[in-house]
């Protein structure tokens, strides 16, 4: 044998891998107590492998793996934990694989019952050519049941059973002799299979004749919590109305009129008792939190200069651009308005500082402008709706926004909903847990488009969740962060080091929006009343 390995598989499964030098070794796998023993005949174990391997930390059914050798044979003892488990062993080539699967206690009981369905008290039977009637009498005494044996049952039987449940022993006796049994209360009837089948067929025919000849009665059944028409549908779907009978419903009085036999009317009443019950009510509360924060910062500069030099009858003028592209002077000096701007990268509206230098025939001015805006908004919507178990509930509030559509040259006005809507269908589960089918929508009026129409901001969530009564769960969230950095500059001059800031305008904005949706279902355990 070359090696022993262990792996943890998905689902908490444990896998023991035994690698053999070839596939000729004899193999025998048995369960002894709570251990799985693998006997390898004709396989030797290296000294380094003869040890105990602790695999408890892998959290699988396997706890320890012990390897030991005895002459030319090797024994590997796999010790699982106390929790239920199942295992499977297979060999491919020179590799032997044992997979251990964890089981719940319910799964273990179900598997035991499927493998061995007999649960009676264990007995010992050892008879040679004894009458079948005598064996049936012994089994009936152990089972503490009354016994009726048909005249057709006879003959002898030889059997040797040790520590066998009495119901298994009875099953063996019946099958080996072509017999069958029927139990009514604590009375067991045993006869040939054909006789039992014929008797049941005759009973069914007699019962059918009784039903066909039984007198019809008319009953008026009051429905308390549901609609009579709904209960009529349930009874008809259950096929409880025979060809001779009929059923009629009246929702105004909430009464069912049934004409059937007495036995059938009683069955209909039993069915209605299961359906005509008070349905639990559920309060569903949603909270939709929409928060936004925006920040904007602008920094710009405006500057220009103008110069005027006279030489004799000549005049030389340098000035910034103006709407008329014509320099203007007041008493020999350039205008201090926008006419002398060389760079106009200012911010409007703004906080600004103006620097000017003025002397005869020369003007230099600069204006630094800055603007910073901050805004925060939080919208909390809290729709609530009450509905019954299994029935959809809807609450909706909002506005309708008109917009124009043109079709075949005809202008029509249509409306689009901008609403806050909560639509939910609850379903009660065991343990006061509630399954919710949810459709939540939060619309709001958005920006006005250039064509004059209004946009709609939409937030919607559709999901199915399972929540405990009174608990609050976060269904989902959307976080959005938008950052914008804009630079406006004069070509070439805006890229020159040191002086480039005199030819640039910076705009920085940061917008954050966050949407969170919470849901809280509550069972209404008392009737609602206006206080």
């Amino acid at each position: 044998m070359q090696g022993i390995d262990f792996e943890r598989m998905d689902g908490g499964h444990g896998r023991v891998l035994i690698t053999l030098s070839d596939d000729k070794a004899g193999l025998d796998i048995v369960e002894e107590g709570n251990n799985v023993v693998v006997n390898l005949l004709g396989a030797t174990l290296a000294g380094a492998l003869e040890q105990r391997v602790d695999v408890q930390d892998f959290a699988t059914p396997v706890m320890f793996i012990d390897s030991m050798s005895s002459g030319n044979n090797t024994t590997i003892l796999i010790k699982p934990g106390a929790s239920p488990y199942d295992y499977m062993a297979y060999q491919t080539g020179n590799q032997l694989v044992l997979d251990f699967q964890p089981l719940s206690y319910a799964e273990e009981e179900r598997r035991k019952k499927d493998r061995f369905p007999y649960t009676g008290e264990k007995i010992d039977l050892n008879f040679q050519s004894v009458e079948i009637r005598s064996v049936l009498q012994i089994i009936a005494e152990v089972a503490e049941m009354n016994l009726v044996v048909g005249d057709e049952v006879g003959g002898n039987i030889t059997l040797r059973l040790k520590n066998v449940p009495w119901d298994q022993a009875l099953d063996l006796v019946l099958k080996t002799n072509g017999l069958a049994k029927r139990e009514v209360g604590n009375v067991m009837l045993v006869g040939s299979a054909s006789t039992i089948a014929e008797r049941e067929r005759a009973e069914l025919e007699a019962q059918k004749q009784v039903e066909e000849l039984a007198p019809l009665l008319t009953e008026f059944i009051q429905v308390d919590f549901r609609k009579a028409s709904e209960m009529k549908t349930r009874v008809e779907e259950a096929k409880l109305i025979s060809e001779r009978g009929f059923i009629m419903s009246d929702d105004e009085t909430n009464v069912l009129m049934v004409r059937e036999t007495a036995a059938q009317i009683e069955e209909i009443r039993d069915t209605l008792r299961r359906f005509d019950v008070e349905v639990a009510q559920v309060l569903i509360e949603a909270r939709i939190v929409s928060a936004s924060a925006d920040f904007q910062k602008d920094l710009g500069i405006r500057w220009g200069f103008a110069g005027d030099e006279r030489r004799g009858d000549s005049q030389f003028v340098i000035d910034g651009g103006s709407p008329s592209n014509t320099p203007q002077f007041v008493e020999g000096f350039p205008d201090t308005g926008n006419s002398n701007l060389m760079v106009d990268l200012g911010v409007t509206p703004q906080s600004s500082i103006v620097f000017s230098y003025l002397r005869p025939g020369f003007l230099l001015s600069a204006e630094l402008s800055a603007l910073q805006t901050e805004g925060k908004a939080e919208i909390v919507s809290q729709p609530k709706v009450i509905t019954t178990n299994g029935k959809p509930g809807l609450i909706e509030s909002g506005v309708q926004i008109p917009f124009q559509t043109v079709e075949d040259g005809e202008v029509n006005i249509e409306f689009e909903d901008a609403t806050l809507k909560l639509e939910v269908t609850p379903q009660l589960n065991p343990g006061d847990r509630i399954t919710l089918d949810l459709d939540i929508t939060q619309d709001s009026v958005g920006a006005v488009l250039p064509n004059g129409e209004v946009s709609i901001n939409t937030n919607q969530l559709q999901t199915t969740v399972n929540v405990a009564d009174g608990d609050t769960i976060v269904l989902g969230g959307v976080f959005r962060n938008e950052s914008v950095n804009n630079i406006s500059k004069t070509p070439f001059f805006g890229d020159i080091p040191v002086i480039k800031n005199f030819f640039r305008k910076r705009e920085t904005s940061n917008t954050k929006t966050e949407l969170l949706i919470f849901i809280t279902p509550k069972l209404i355990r008392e009737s609602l009343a206006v206080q």
Side-chain angles (χ1 to χ4, degrees):
M1 192 173 69
Q2 295 180 346
I4 302 174
D5 295 323
F6 180 81
E7 295 180 4
R8 188 184 191 278
M9 312 300 292
D10 293 339
H13 293 210
R15 172 170 292 181
V16 180
L17 300 170
I18 302 174
T19 305
L20 307 173
S21 57
D22 55 54
D23 57 357
K24 298 180 181 179
L27 177 62
D28 181 27
I29 301 177
V30 296
E31 287 190 68
E32 295 182 357
N34 194 37
N35 301 323
V36 177
V37 180
V38 180
N39 294 312
L40 299 173
L41 307 179
T44 58
L45 182 67
L49 298 177
E50 191 169 354
Q51 60 180 343
R52 163 171 282 198
V53 180
D54 186 350
V55 293
Q56 297 182 72
D57 294 339
F58 288 91
T60 68
V62 182
M63 306 293 288
F64 301 100
I65 304 175
D66 291 329
S67 305
M68 60 199 76
S69 62
S70 177
N72 292 330
N73 301 327
T74 298
T75 299
I76 299 174
L77 187 145
I78 303 172
K79 185 175 182 60
S83 300
Y85 71 92
D86 193 11
Y87 79 96
M88 177 181 63
Y90 58 92
Q91 183 175 354
T92 57
N94 63 340
Q95 191 171 63
L96 175 63
V97 181
L98 290 92
D99 285 336
F100 288 79
Q101 174 188 358
L103 299 176
S104 64
Y105 288 97
E107 289 176 331
E108 183 186 31
E109 292 297 326
R110 185 172 62 253
R111 292 196 178 194
K112 286 182 178 179
K113 188 175 181 180
D114 293 341
R115 290 194 298 264
F116 194 77
Y118 304 106
T119 58
E121 181 183 349
K122 295 183 178 181
I123 60 175
D124 296 337
L125 297 175
N126 189 356
F127 297 108
Q128 293 288 333
S129 188
V130 67
E131 289 186 357
I132 295 177
R133 290 174 173 268
S134 300
V135 176
L136 292 176
Q137 183 62 38
I138 295 173
I139 295 175
E141 291 178 358
V142 175
E144 297 182 352
M145 297 186 68
N146 298 314
L147 178 66
V148 178
V149 182
D151 294 338
E152 70 277 7
V153 178
N156 297 335
I157 186 173
T158 298
L159 72 163
R160 183 179 184 275
L161 301 175
K162 186 175 181 62
N163 201 27
V164 174
W166 68 263
D167 47 354
Q168 184 183 15
L170 175 62
D171 194 31
L172 293 173
V173 172
L174 296 178
K175 287 182 178 179
T176 54
N177 292 276
L179 303 177
K181 69 177 178 69
R182 295 294 181 269
E183 295 182 11
V184 181
N186 66 338
V187 177
M188 180 170 58
L189 173 63
V190 178
S192 65
S194 59
T195 302
I196 295 291
E198 180 64 25
R199 185 173 300 172
E200 290 184 343
R201 186 188 63 79
E203 290 177 355
L204 289 175
E205 289 183 355
Q207 183 180 356
K208 184 177 180 180
Q209 291 178 359
V210 170
E211 292 178 354
E212 291 177 352
L213 299 176
L216 296 178
L217 303 177
T218 302
E219 289 280 349
F220 294 90
I221 304 175
Q222 180 70 48
V223 179
D224 297 325
F225 301 102
R226 311 289 288 273
K227 284 186 178 181
S229 57
E230 184 181 353
M231 292 297 97
K232 173 179 177 290
T233 303
R234 294 287 185 268
V235 172
E236 290 175 341
E237 289 175 349
K239 301 185 183 301
L240 297 179
I241 304 299
S242 64
E243 296 180 357
R244 299 171 60 203
F246 77 95
I247 183 171
M248 183 178 67
S249 64
D250 180 39
D251 285 341
E252 293 183 0
T253 59
N254 220 31
V255 171
L256 290 175
M257 179 182 176
V258 182
R259 185 167 179 80
E260 265 294 352
T261 63
Q264 201 67 15
I265 288 177
E266 186 59 32
E267 187 174 356
I268 292 174
R269 286 185 178 275
D270 290 340
T271 302
L272 291 176
R273 291 190 190 101
R274 300 290 298 176
F275 288 104
D276 185 24
V277 294
E278 186 176 5
V279 181
Q281 297 184 94
V282 184
L283 169 65
I284 298 96
E285 177 183 351
R287 287 189 296 276
I288 307 171
V289 181
S290 179
S292 63
D294 59 84
F295 172 82
Q296 182 174 350
K297 182 177 181 180
D298 298 341
L299 182 64
I301 186 171
R302 293 155 47 120
W303 65 270
F305 75 93
D308 176 24
E309 184 177 354
R310 300 175 183 271
R311 294 181 180 178
D313 295 334
S314 300
Q315 183 180 13
F316 180 71
V317 178
I318 298 178
D319 193 5
S322 69
S324 61
N325 287 327
T326 302
Q328 301 176 7
F329 296 88
V330 178
E331 296 181 358
F333 295 98
D335 183 14
T336 57
N338 293 332
S339 62
N340 71 323
L341 289 179
M342 290 292 188
V343 176
D344 187 359
L345 296 175
V347 180
T348 305
Q350 77 279 345
S351 299
S352 60
I353 301 176
V354 179
F355 301 92
S356 299
Y357 175 74
L358 178 66
R359 68 182 181 83
F362 181 80
L363 171 66
L364 175 64
S365 65
E367 176 183 301
L368 299 178
S369 59
L371 173 67
Q372 180 172 317
T373 59
E374 296 182 14
K376 294 182 180 180
E378 181 175 332
I379 302 174
V380 179
S381 305
Q382 192 169 354
K384 299 180 183 179
V385 65
I386 297 177
T387 183
T388 57
N389 181 34
K391 295 291 185 180
L394 171 66
I395 185 170
E396 188 173 8
S397 175
V399 298
Q400 287 188 326
I401 299 175
F403 62 95
Q404 292 183 352
T405 60
V406 180
E407 184 176 354
D408 296 333
E410 182 179 355
V411 179
N412 298 317
I413 302 296
E414 296 185 3
F415 292 87
E416 185 72 21
D417 293 334
T419 61
L420 171 65
K421 183 182 75 171
L422 170 62
E423 185 175 3
V424 58
T425 302
Q427 181 64 50
L428 298 184
N429 297 326
D432 284 346
R433 298 191 66 85
I434 306 171
T435 299
L436 302 173
D437 292 330
L438 290 160
D439 184 358
I440 301 175
T441 302
Q442 185 193 44
D443 296 337
S444 60
V445 179
V448 179
L449 302 179
N451 59 1
E453 295 184 354
V454 180
S455 63
I456 300 176
N457 300 324
T458 300
N459 296 304
Q460 185 174 21
L461 182 142
Q462 290 181 337
T463 186
T464 299
V465 294
N466 188 279
V467 191
D469 175 29
D471 285 359
T472 299
I473 186 173
V474 181
L475 297 181
V478 177
F479 179 78
R480 181 182 178 188
N481 187 7
E482 181 179 356
S483 297
V484 178
N485 290 294
N486 289 329
I487 297 179
S488 301
K489 63 182 178 181
T490 302
F492 180 71
F493 294 99
D495 297 322
I496 299 176
V498 181
I499 67 170
K500 62 183 179 181
N501 292 327
F502 293 97
F503 297 89
R504 286 188 174 190
K505 178 176 72 173
R506 293 183 175 87
E507 298 175 343
T508 302
S509 65
N510 190 6
T511 303
K512 297 180 181 180
T513 59
E514 187 171 9
L515 174 69
L516 292 174
I517 301 176
F518 305 84
I519 196 77
T520 305
K522 297 179 182 178
L523 283 173
I524 301 178
R525 305 182 185 275
E526 299 179 358
S527 61
L528 294 178
V530 178
Q531 303 294 331

